[in-house]
Each structure stands twice: as structure tokens, then as C-alpha cells.
Amino acid sequence: MSAIRIHPPTTALTISIKHLTCNPNNLNLFSTNSRNFKRSGFRRNLTPIAMSSNPLEVCAKSSITVPNRLGDCPFTQRVLLTLEEKHLPYNLKLIDLANKPEWFLSISPEGKVPIVKLDDKWIADSDVITQTVEEKFPEPPLLTPPEKASIGSKIFSTYIGFLKSKDPNDGKEEALLNELSAFNDYIKENGPFINGKDISGADLSLGPKLYHLEIALGHYKQWSVPDSLPHLKTYMKTVFSLESFTKTMPLTEDVIEGWRPKVMG
């Protein structure tokens, strides 16, 4: 079971996860035995892994709607998904980004999350963090082949463009639909995941962004992924139902409130 410890002086929540286990104003666009896990109809064969001797330290955005809950940063969820899929234990410290504690600013002067402590060094940026984790803990592998790493990479930026758009005729919706359609066609021929039958880092990066897309566009635009893109919808359902995803996903209310400044601004 997870042990939860609250530290009032730092306004941070620490969660020790034992089992295998954003800055909202600056969204950057750019051991155990082998076993089988059954998830959404897919079975993954997991190889023995070299466990981290000590839990990793992870600083993440806290919920702005419910106390002591993980917040809505998709880049942080990407990092947590990576740790979960690699079954690495970690201590999660939740940071109130509206009232950052001094100890946090001392390790993250720009006040950004996620930030992870690896080998006594704090590392920022989800790209750098996940790459470092992959190098240090290569099993099970999550590396995406270079030729597939950019699949779906433009979806998030076009989603933001459409979400912020005030003009229904500016082509932002069409641009998003073009990206989603291209991804739908790719998954149709190459799925169920971006790297075929095996989940990879590309899925762990794209999944949280699609989750935000679904919630925010549904709330602010009354828009949903069209039924004409069935393979994309199946992909989203598969990723969102992963145990690692349900364990790390933000509350719907936090996603909505997290995007409000972007929409209303």
C-alpha cells in the first residue's frame, strides 16, 4: 500500500509508492519476477528489471480543485507514466504552483515541474527526464524507434491553436482534424500503439495530451473526436485504460481549470 505523508511547512504532499511502481503558464510544445499484465485486451511480457535501490524524488503540480491530489500537467504525467511502466518506486511531492515553497525554488529556480532527482541531481524537462530514466533503467524498454518518434507530435500544438481560437473560420479546427486523421490512418496500419504491439515513450507522451484534448475541447468547444476516426478513438480508450494511466491521470476539473487562462485570455 502507498504511504501518504503531508508536510505542512512545505505545502507539499509526499507519496511513497512501493509497488512496481507545469507550469500552467508555460506549456512547452515542443527485483521482481517476470509476469504478464493484462490490460484492455493486450498482454505485455515484462522482463526482470533492475529496481532503483531508493525511491526517486518527483516534484509535480498539485491539484487546484482538491487538496492533496495530483494536478493537471501533461508533461508531469508523462514522467510518472514512464516510472510506472518501468515499475520504479518514487516519492511524489505535490507543489502548489501559486505558492511555491522556498525549498522547491532552490532546486527549480524557474518554478517549473516536473523535476526529478536522479543520482543526487535534480533534472528538469520531461524530454530530458524520460531519456535519462531510459538510459539508467533500460528494462522494460520504452524507447521509440527514431523513425516513429515524431508520429502525432503536431497534435498538441494544433489542439492548443483550436482551443484558443475565437474565429470558427480561421482553419484551426481543420488543422487539428488533419493531424488527428493522419494519426488515425497511421494507427490503423501500424497499431495498436505507435510502435506496434508494444507501448513506448511516444505513447506515454501523446496519451496525456490527448486526454487534455478530449476534456478541454469537450468543455470549452462542445467538440469531440469524430466517429470517422475510429482507430484514434480506440487508441485513446486503450491508453486511457492502462493501469499506469488511471493511476496518474488528473481530475477532470483540474484539466478544465488548468486551461481556463489559455481559453479566456
Side-chain angles (χ1 to χ4, degrees):
M1 295 180 63
S2 299
I4 301 177
R5 303 189 301 276
I6 300 178
H7 302 275
T10 62
T11 66
L13 170 76
T14 300
I15 304 175
S16 297
I17 301 181
K18 298 179 180 179
H19 181 64
L20 302 184
T21 34
C22 274
N23 185 340
N25 297 317
N26 186 22
L27 285 175
N28 190 343
L29 300 182
F30 304 100
S31 145
T32 61
N33 293 324
S34 299
R35 67 183 69 188
N36 290 328
F37 275 64
K38 185 176 183 181
R39 297 185 289 201
S40 306
F42 297 99
R43 298 188 69 88
R44 295 189 60 211
N45 294 320
L46 304 184
T47 56
I49 58 177
M51 294 294 291
S52 173
S53 57
N54 296 307
L56 304 179
E57 301 287 337
V58 183
C59 292
K61 178 183 178 182
S62 65
S63 168
I64 60 176
T65 64
V66 177
N68 302 335
R69 288 291 300 265
L70 180 66
D72 62 294
C73 177
F75 305 103
T76 295
Q77 190 184 9
R78 172 193 182 186
V79 170
L80 296 181
L81 285 170
T82 301
L83 300 182
E84 290 284 348
E85 288 292 328
K86 285 185 175 291
H87 319 307
L88 295 170
Y90 57 91
N91 289 331
L92 186 61
K93 299 180 183 295
L94 300 183
I95 309 299
D96 179 359
L97 295 184
N99 184 29
K100 305 179 185 73
E102 288 300 321
W103 69 264
F104 171 67
L105 291 174
S106 70
I107 61 175
S108 179
E110 295 183 352
K112 297 179 182 180
V113 292
I115 182 168
V116 175
K117 191 175 186 180
L118 280 165
D119 295 330
D120 295 322
K121 179 181 179 181
W122 287 99
I123 302 174
D125 189 290
S126 62
D127 284 340
V128 178
I129 294 169
T130 53
Q131 180 179 343
T132 303
V133 169
E134 184 67 34
E135 292 171 352
K136 185 174 178 61
F137 306 102
E139 296 294 335
L142 293 174
L143 192 65
T144 308
E147 65 275 14
K148 300 179 181 179
S150 64
I151 300 298
S153 62
K154 295 181 180 179
I155 290 176
F156 194 53
S157 60
T158 53
Y159 146 67
I160 294 176
F162 177 42
L163 180 67
K164 295 170 62 177
S165 172
K166 302 294 191 294
D167 180 1
N169 299 312
D170 62 5
K172 298 295 178 60
E173 179 180 8
E174 181 181 4
L176 175 61
L177 282 171
N178 287 341
E179 292 299 327
L180 295 178
S181 295
F183 187 79
N184 178 82
D185 294 344
Y186 175 86
I187 290 298
K188 177 182 178 180
E189 299 298 327
N190 302 278
F193 298 110
I194 291 174
N195 193 31
K197 65 182 180 64
D198 296 320
I199 197 168
S200 71
D203 302 294
L204 306 184
S205 176
L206 181 59
K209 297 169 184 175
L210 290 173
Y211 186 70
H212 278 242
L213 177 155
E214 180 179 67
I215 293 173
L217 290 182
H219 180 81
Y220 291 108
K221 296 279 192 180
Q222 291 73 56
W223 189 94
S224 60
V225 174
D227 291 338
S228 58
L229 304 177
H231 303 286
L232 168 62
K233 296 183 77 168
T234 297
Y235 173 84
M236 292 169 66
K237 182 178 180 181
T238 299
V239 173
F240 298 169
S241 64
L242 293 172
E243 181 183 1
S244 59
F245 199 96
T246 60
K247 203 171 183 179
T248 60
M249 67 184 183
L251 297 170
T252 297
E253 297 88 338
D254 275 321
V255 175
I256 291 172
E257 292 306 313
W259 286 102
R260 189 176 298 277
K262 292 284 186 181
V263 177
M264 301 307 179

